Amino acid sequence: MQLKDRVSRRLKLHELRVLMAVAETGSMRKAAMVLNTTQPSVSRAIAELEGILGLPLFERGARGVEPTLYGRALLDGSVEMFDDLRQTVQKIEFLANPEVGD
């Protein structure tokens, strides 16, 4: 199965949010605290993403984690996607408001 097929069938928004939290905090443990979940669930989400892509998303070290080139590319796309989704939801809210429009 090609990468685009694996991604379109298996990728979840939750996993991308976890990816963003890990990158922002630099730590699986800190990301778990921010997301109000456990460190093993954060690690599982990152492992799932890495399994889908077949590529490492973070360099792991004693001082935390840093995104790899692949992780940075996925992060950039995730930020854009969440921004687009936020704008779409705002548009829907505007369209659903009976007090605006023609």
Side-chain angles (χ1 to χ4, degrees), residues 59-74:
E59 293 283 336
R60 291 147 173 92
R63 302 187 81 193
V65 296
E66 283 288 322
T68 62
L69 179 66
Y70 313 114
R72 177 59 46 206
L74 186 58

Side-chain angles (χ1 to χ4, degrees), residues 19-72:
L19 175 87
M20 292 168 63
V22 171
E24 289 169 8
T25 63
S27 160
M28 304 270 185
R29 182 183 56 79
K30 290 177 185 174
M33 291 172 49
V34 167
L35 296 170
N36 197 28
T37 189
T38 65
Q39 185 271 326
S41 68
V42 168
S43 294
R44 271 192 303 274
I46 298 301
E48 180 67 23
L49 282 172
E50 290 177 330
I52 291 168
L53 297 171
L55 298 164
L57 298 176
F58 289 97
E59 293 283 336
R60 291 147 173 92
R63 302 187 81 193
V65 296
E66 283 288 322
T68 62
L69 179 66
Y70 313 114
R72 177 59 46 206

Side-chain angles (χ1 to χ4, degrees), residues 67-88:
T68 62
L69 179 66
Y70 313 114
R72 177 59 46 206
L74 186 58
L75 280 164
D76 291 345
S78 298
V79 169
E80 292 174 15
M81 186 196 62
F82 276 106
D83 186 49
D84 286 347
L85 184 58
R86 208 173 2 262
Q87 289 177 29
T88 301

